[in-house]
Amino acid sequence: MSLVELIAQADERGLAASGLACLDRCVPLLGGDDEILRPLWASLAESEGWGEDWGERVEQARAKLDVPGVGVGAGVPGGRGFAEGEASVLAHRMLGAVPVDRGAGNLREWADACSVAALQIHRLLDAASDGASSVTARREGRTQDMSPLVAAELRRQIAILEVLSAHGPAGLRQALDLSTEGRRVLRAVVSRRARGRV
């Protein structure tokens, strides 16, 4: 199935985890440390009444991450270029749009938007050119001439939704591991681009 189809079929917990994973991979653009979203992952892992404290933990994460001076133009030696600034704006929008209400409609809209934003962020930061005119084609399964960073992000998004669909809450550990790997990759890319401008 395409990424669009997987999001359309995901349940509430899968949607929350999918969106959270996209946001988690983009933490390097928000100025946060690697553990900043762990409380939200823990909220999803609760077997019964999952996410009862989701809204509270969302607000706590926003308070810690949405710090003045961490956004566009800050946090990278030598200042951020256009691509980094655009990527940071997209990451902050993802954070600002996290729904505190766990209704399926809200979560599906957010997960879908996070999917698009995360792919666009990777496209902006990839040194190689991506052949498609928009990330929509990638999400629908048209993967020819993909740039390496975008291709890897698309694979992670699909893998996370597939593992959650197949294993439910038991798949959260693997989803977190996949997201952690992606965050390390993005952090290295941001660092490498910053060194190139110093």
Side-chain angles (χ1 to χ4, degrees), residues 134-181:
S134 73
V135 298
T136 302
R138 304 318 190 187
R139 298 175 73 244
E140 292 174 348
R142 298 194 292 278
T143 58
Q144 64 275 14
D145 301 322
M146 290 184 75
S147 61
L149 205 60
V150 174
E153 171 62 13
L154 181 67
R155 283 194 302 270
R156 283 189 196 95
Q157 289 192 25
I158 289 172
I160 285 170
L161 283 161
E162 286 178 341
V163 75
L164 292 169
S165 174
H167 303 292
L172 283 169
R173 177 75 251 179
Q174 190 176 346
L176 177 57
D177 289 344
L178 285 164
S179 189
T180 299
E181 175 195 11

Side-chain angles (χ1 to χ4, degrees), residues 24-48:
D24 201 354
R25 288 191 293 282
C26 296
V27 160
L29 294 164
L30 296 170
D33 64 58
D34 288 350
E35 301 298 313
I36 200 82
L37 297 179
R38 277 301 176 97
L40 282 167
W41 283 106
S43 181
L44 293 181
E46 295 163 5
S47 56
E48 293 185 16

Side-chain angles (χ1 to χ4, degrees), residues 13-192:
R13 194 189 320 237
L15 292 167
S18 175
L20 179 58
C22 288
L23 182 60
D24 201 354
R25 288 191 293 282
C26 296
V27 160
L29 294 164
L30 296 170
D33 64 58
D34 288 350
E35 301 298 313
I36 200 82
L37 297 179
R38 277 301 176 97
L40 282 167
W41 283 106
S43 181
L44 293 181
E46 295 163 5
S47 56
E48 293 185 16
W50 74 269
E52 289 181 353
D53 52 2
W54 171 263
E56 179 183 343
R57 293 184 183 189
V58 166
E59 295 299 347
Q60 290 171 353
R62 281 197 186 119
K64 291 176 182 176
L65 282 171
D66 207 12
V67 179
V70 172
V72 180
V76 175
R80 294 189 180 190
F82 174 78
E84 289 85 347
E86 288 291 300
S88 178
V89 168
L90 288 170
H92 276 85
R93 284 180 186 159
M94 288 165 61
L95 175 64
V98 182
V100 293
D101 177 3
R102 293 176 294 121
N106 291 333
L107 287 171
R108 198 174 311 281
E109 183 178 351
W110 177 63
D112 196 59
C114 285
S115 167
V116 171
L119 285 166
Q120 186 62 27
I121 284 168
H122 285 75
R123 190 178 191 191
L124 284 164
L125 298 179
D126 201 336
S129 175
D130 187 67
S133 58
S134 73
V135 298
T136 302
R138 304 318 190 187
R139 298 175 73 244
E140 292 174 348
R142 298 194 292 278
T143 58
Q144 64 275 14
D145 301 322
M146 290 184 75
S147 61
L149 205 60
V150 174
E153 171 62 13
L154 181 67
R155 283 194 302 270
R156 283 189 196 95
Q157 289 192 25
I158 289 172
I160 285 170
L161 283 161
E162 286 178 341
V163 75
L164 292 169
S165 174
H167 303 292
L172 283 169
R173 177 75 251 179
Q174 190 176 346
L176 177 57
D177 289 344
L178 285 164
S179 189
T180 299
E181 175 195 11
R183 186 175 63 241
R184 289 189 187 122
V185 169
L186 193 64
R187 194 178 292 282
V189 168
V190 170
S191 177
R192 186 166 59 247

